[in-house]
């Protein structure tokens, strides 16, 4: 198991431009070898212990060299997209760089969705693609594709290797770029003739890229301004994003929140930036955030945005977002500052370093909280508008996904488990009801919203953190995107668990069609799903299907106790909706479907939705699929 301290140390070594491994001067230094052997030596020098991939003609020399490595485990996926998501899940769980190795043409293009997923969520990854020989590049040779050109908008940087003279320098820079600043995927395209060329191996001990100088330390004047605004605010709120997780800034975030008693809302990527058990944690904000978190944003007079990018799913209607608040925006990527929301105090820098500086400034000022009245008001909202209550159910005789996932959450050890999700309704139910205490233990595709991500990501997370219980929350639609990776889990003895919330529909789009398109369910119904239990059996997995609420406890216990891959198919009504919800384009205080305990636990609607039509607050029971 990789400790939090080691994850932080890896990040620091990346910032300093040093290899992750024991040192760049490996036993390969000064030896004559082929380019393919040098590639493997580079990976070993970076401390890579696992790569995910799929072989092919233009990568065959690299795979031949990999055959002799005693330090690197190769995980053979069943599809290159699956391999890329595995590397992504591995990177998110461990804090290391995920590594992918595939061949040219279709092998390379199959990684595109996985690369884009990592890029949108700032995940460090190095993707190595085989390429046709240099002499035929541009001639439409067999299995040639311009993967550098294809992926240009979705990588942090890319390299097309032209000579073995630049091979080791390229790998050193690729890992450095992927893991420093705002992390992201880097692609290295390698013509196959270079893999067979001889060279002398020398691995750079450090990196010097004049055009790439990430800013880690925030401007002192802006830090001072931020501290002063925090002291003056009467209704402050922290919005924690994925940057908190990436920079290991959770202790600094909690220190600020607790010193000044500031409530914290989190984005999807920022879940567990502050422990769910901390009373200051208001949880998710935005389209499927809680009503109380969204109200806190709307009524706040100061928002401290930490490593968050103000995505449309968080802000809703931008010109009505936080109308009374001044904004402090901390982000390592200067391109994010002012892109969506113009801040009063912009601070470019690593959020861990910047928050530490703000905390030190507040300590010198002797700052104390002045927002007790605000905090108590927000906490009262939390009591009034909970996500869910045990005495409320849309379908009393059916399995409620909220109850299912809260029960699962209670059964998981918060200190030794990781939850991944696919994308859709189940993702939002998991966001709302799975409680996490540590960063990097809730893994989900946020920016791209990639169906098919969660299951292979769970395999990667389990391989990276073998001592953790890893559970993927999936929908029946999303799971079928990459279900072939069941073979990968079984053959590699990776005992991941998959819980399918099975409504025989593409649930989120189905819900939108119900709310805004007059129940015109255009191609979102999956009545012809396979029998998932039989599918699991075909791959050698253990599996079970449940349909009744009284089966939930025993089924979850059986799943979690299994030392083999296990699939649990949980049948829920097709018409089940995930609430609360903010309609697309509406302000985030325009909330439908929130429970109000002062009204007896009924769902309420605050405003109309114009041309989109009014939502059905209590879903119809007609046509419920048993």
């Amino acid at each position: 198991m990789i400790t939090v301290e080691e994850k932080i140390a890896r990040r620091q070594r990346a910032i300093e431009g040093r290899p992750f491994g024991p040192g760049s001067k490996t036993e390969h230094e000064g030896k004559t070898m082929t380019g393919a052997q040098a590639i493997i030596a580079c990976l070993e020098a970076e401390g890579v212990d696992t790569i995910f991939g799929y072989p092919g003609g233009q990568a065959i020399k690299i795979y031949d060299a990999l055959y002799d490595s005693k330090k690197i485990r190769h995980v053979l996926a069943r599809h290159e997209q699956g391999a890329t998501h595995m590397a992504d899940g591995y990177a998110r769980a461990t804090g290391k760089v995920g590594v992918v190795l595939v061949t040219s043409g279709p092998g390379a293009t199959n990684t595109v969705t996985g690369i884009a997923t990592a890029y949108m969520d700032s995940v460090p990854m190095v993707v190595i693609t085989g390429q046709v020989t240099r002499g035929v590049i541009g001639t439409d040779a067999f299995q040639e594709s311009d993967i550098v050109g294809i992926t240009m908008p979705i990588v942090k940087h890319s390299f097309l290797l032209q000579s073995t003279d630049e091979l080791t320098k390229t790998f050193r820079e690729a890992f450095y770029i992927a893991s420093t600043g705002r992390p992201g995927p880097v692609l290295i395209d390698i013509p196959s003739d270079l893999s067979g060329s001889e060279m002398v191996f020398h691995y750079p001990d450090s990196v010097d890229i004049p055009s790439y100088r990430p800013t880690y330390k925030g401007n002192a004047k802006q830090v001072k301004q931020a501290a002063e605004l925090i002291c003056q605010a009467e209704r402050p709120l922290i919005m924690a994003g994925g940057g908190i997780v990436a920079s290991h800034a959770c202790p600094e975030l909690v220190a600020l929140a607790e010193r000044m008693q500031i409530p914290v809302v989190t984005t999807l990527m920022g879940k567990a930036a502050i422990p769910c058990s901390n009373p200051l944690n208001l949880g998710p904000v935005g389209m499927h955030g809680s009503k109380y978190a969204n109200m806190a944003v709307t009524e706040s007079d100061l928002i401290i945005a930490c490593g968050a990018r103000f995505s449309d799913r968080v802000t809703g209607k931008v010109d009505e977002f936080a109308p009374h608040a001044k904004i402090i925006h901390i982000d390592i990527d200067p391109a994010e500052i002012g892109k969506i929301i113009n801040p009063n105090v912009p601070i470019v820098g690593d959020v861990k370093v910047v928050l530490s500086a703000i905390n030190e400034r507040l300590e010198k000022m002797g700052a104390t909280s002045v927002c007790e009245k605000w905090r108590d008001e927000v906490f009262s909202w939390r009591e009034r508008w909970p996500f869910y209550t045990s005495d409320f159910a849309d379908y009393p005789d059916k399995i409620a996904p909220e109850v299912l996932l809260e029960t699962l959450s209670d059964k998981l050890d918060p200190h030794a488990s990781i939850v991944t999700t696919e994308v859709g309704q189940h993702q939002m139910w998991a966001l709302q009801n799975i409680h996490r205490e540590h960063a990097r233990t809730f893994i989900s595709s946020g920016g791209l919203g990639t169906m098919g991500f969660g299951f292979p990501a769970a395999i990667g997370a389990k391989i990276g953190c073998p001592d953790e219980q890893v559970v993927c929350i999936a929908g029946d639609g999303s799971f079928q995107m990459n279900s072939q990776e069941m073979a990968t889990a079984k053959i590699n003895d990776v005992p991941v668990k998959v819980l399918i919330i099975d409504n025989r529909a593409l649930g989120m789009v189905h819900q939108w069609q119900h709310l805004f398109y007059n129940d015109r369910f255009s191609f979102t119904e999956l009545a012809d799903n396979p029998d998932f239990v039989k599918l699991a059996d075909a791959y050698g997995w253990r599996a079970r299907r449940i349909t009744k609420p009284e089966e939930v406890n025993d089924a979850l216990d059986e799943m979690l106790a299994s030392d083999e891959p296990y699939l649990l198919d949980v049948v829920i009504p097709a018409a089940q909706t995930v609430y609360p919800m903010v309609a697309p384009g509406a302000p985030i205080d325009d909330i439908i479907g929130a429970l109000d305990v002062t009204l007896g636990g009924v769902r309420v609607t605050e405003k109309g939705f114009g041309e989109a039509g009014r939502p059905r607050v209590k879903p119809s029971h007609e046509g419920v699929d048993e």
Side-chain angles (χ1 to χ4, degrees), residues 97 99 124 366 562:
V97 177
V99 181
S562 175

Side-chain angles (χ1 to χ4, degrees), residues 460-597:
K462 182 65 177 177
I463 289 172
C465 302
D467 297 330
E468 309 281 311
Q469 174 83 268
V470 179
V471 180
C472 171
I473 310 299
D476 49 313
S478 283
F479 181 69
Q480 292 182 77
M481 292 280 184
N482 275 310
S483 61
Q484 77 283 343
E485 302 306 336
M486 296 178 81
T488 305
K490 179 62 179 179
I491 292 167
N492 289 278
D493 194 24
V494 183
V496 290
K497 314 298 163 56
V498 175
L499 190 159
I500 298 178
I501 298 181
D502 185 356
N503 59 2
R504 280 84 59 225
L506 300 177
M508 188 61 82
V509 183
H510 193 269
Q511 174 170 329
W512 283 31
Q513 289 171 335
H514 166 63
L515 293 175
F516 311 121
Y517 294 89
N518 300 313
D519 285 347
R520 289 164 58 87
F521 298 122
S522 180
F523 303 103
T524 56
E525 295 174 321
L526 302 177
D528 54 354
N529 270 344
D531 183 324
F532 290 114
V533 173
K534 289 183 178 178
L535 179 66
D537 181 66
Y539 280 108
W541 282 44
R542 297 183 61 194
R544 178 176 175 180
R545 177 184 299 108
I546 60 174
T547 60
K548 301 174 182 178
E550 57 268 26
E551 297 177 291
V552 167
N553 262 303
D554 179 65
L556 290 176
D557 287 341
E558 182 179 306
M559 178 186 76
L560 294 176
S562 175
D563 58 0
E564 302 176 54
Y566 192 108
L567 183 148
L568 179 59
D569 184 19
V570 182
V571 178
I572 69 167
Q576 182 74 57
T577 47
V578 54
Y579 283 132
M581 179 181 179
V582 176
I588 63 169
D589 64 334
D590 194 347
I591 302 159
I592 61 174
L595 288 179
D596 190 335
V597 298

Side-chain angles (χ1 to χ4, degrees), residues 37 144 159 167 222 226 263 379 402 412 414 429 452 538 559 623:
Q37 291 169 329
E144 179 189 359
F159 298 89
L167 189 151
Q222 293 168 336
F379 288 177
E402 298 94 339
L412 289 171
W429 282 315
M559 178 186 76

Side-chain angles (χ1 to χ4, degrees), residues 23 105 118 282 324 331 339 367-368 517 538:
L282 301 182
H324 313 296
D331 203 288
K339 186 175 80 173
T368 56
Y517 294 89

Side-chain angles (χ1 to χ4, degrees), residues 4 13 15 18 24 58 63 91 121 123 153 165 200 239 253 329 335 344 346 378 432 519 522 524 582:
V4 172
R13 287 198 292 270
I15 290 170
R18 294 186 288 120
S24 61
Q58 303 301 342
Y63 269 93
D121 289 344
V123 178
D165 293 341
V200 177
M239 186 169 77
L253 172 71
H329 191 183
N344 300 85
V378 172
Q432 295 171 353
D519 285 347
S522 180
T524 56
V582 176

